[in-house]
Amino acid sequence: MARTDKLTKLVAVFDQFHDAIARLDDPKAQRLVENWAGIRHQYVAPTSAPRSAFAAGMEQGLRETPMLLQSMPPEARKIAFQALASATSTHFPDFLAKDNKRLAKIKERGSIRGEREFHLVRHHIDLLEGEPSHAEELKALYALAYNFESLGA
């Protein structure tokens, strides 16, 4: 079986995610779906930059998607988060595994080193917020994020 490159995996993640949220009766979801429909072709057959550059940008977009979903009503947001998690675990499970390893190192160290780690922690906070069973972990993540931001980074 041919190895699937990161860009192909990411396009599949975004395709499945946008297909799922297209069914939501939410203007934010509809805008996201329309935006993806308008730019998808640039990622399927990139010509203006190497595939790896597009993949890096999409990976950052995947990390930031939960922030875009924050303004949705709670029920729609929950469905959108579940759709994103499902699409990611289906098409790019390495992304989640790698992020979980990095997150464990940050927690063990007790500090965030740089913007990339900050965005990873912030993304994890976004995923856990509103889940009472994760209150302790959220408290620790909030402290990490607060300490990083208070250093003026």
Side-chain angles (χ1 to χ4, degrees):
M1 185 168 110
R3 188 168 172 259
T4 307
D5 75 345
K6 189 185 287 189
L7 183 60
T8 302
K9 292 175 186 177
L10 286 159
V11 167
V13 168
F14 279 94
D15 280 346
Q16 181 178 324
F17 169 67
H18 288 96
D19 284 349
I21 67 168
R23 295 182 217 117
L24 293 174
D25 183 22
D26 179 77
K28 179 77 164 192
Q30 296 311 311
R31 274 194 310 280
L32 289 171
V33 170
E34 290 165 13
N35 289 345
W36 176 240
I39 63 168
R40 182 184 184 276
H41 68 280
Q42 295 173 13
Y43 295 97
V44 172
T47 56
S48 60
R51 290 180 67 81
S52 60
F54 277 94
M58 283 190 79
E59 202 166 12
Q60 187 59 38
L62 183 56
R63 285 189 209 300
E64 293 173 2
T65 299
M67 288 182 265
L68 296 174
L69 305 178
Q70 287 300 323
S71 63
M72 296 171 92
E75 193 53 39
R77 184 173 59 236
K78 183 178 181 185
I79 292 167
F81 273 128
Q82 289 169 343
L84 184 62
S86 174
T88 305
S89 63
T90 299
H91 299 288
F92 197 11
D94 298 354
F95 177 82
L96 299 173
K98 194 165 46 171
D99 274 4
N100 287 336
K101 278 171 104 172
R102 284 187 187 134
L103 193 61
K105 283 183 181 176
I106 294 166
K107 288 190 224 172
E108 188 177 304
R109 183 185 333 121
S111 64
I112 295 173
R113 294 180 184 159
E115 288 292 317
R116 186 180 205 150
E117 287 188 358
F118 174 75
H119 288 293
L120 175 62
V121 169
R122 190 64 239 171
H123 170 70
H124 202 63
I125 288 170
D126 291 337
L127 292 176
L128 297 179
E129 279 181 332
E131 297 287 334
S133 61
H134 295 287
E136 284 303 308
E137 184 177 4
L138 271 169
K139 205 161 120 181
L141 293 173
Y142 285 139
L144 285 168
Y146 175 80
N147 290 339
F148 180 75
E149 289 176 314
S150 67
L151 295 172

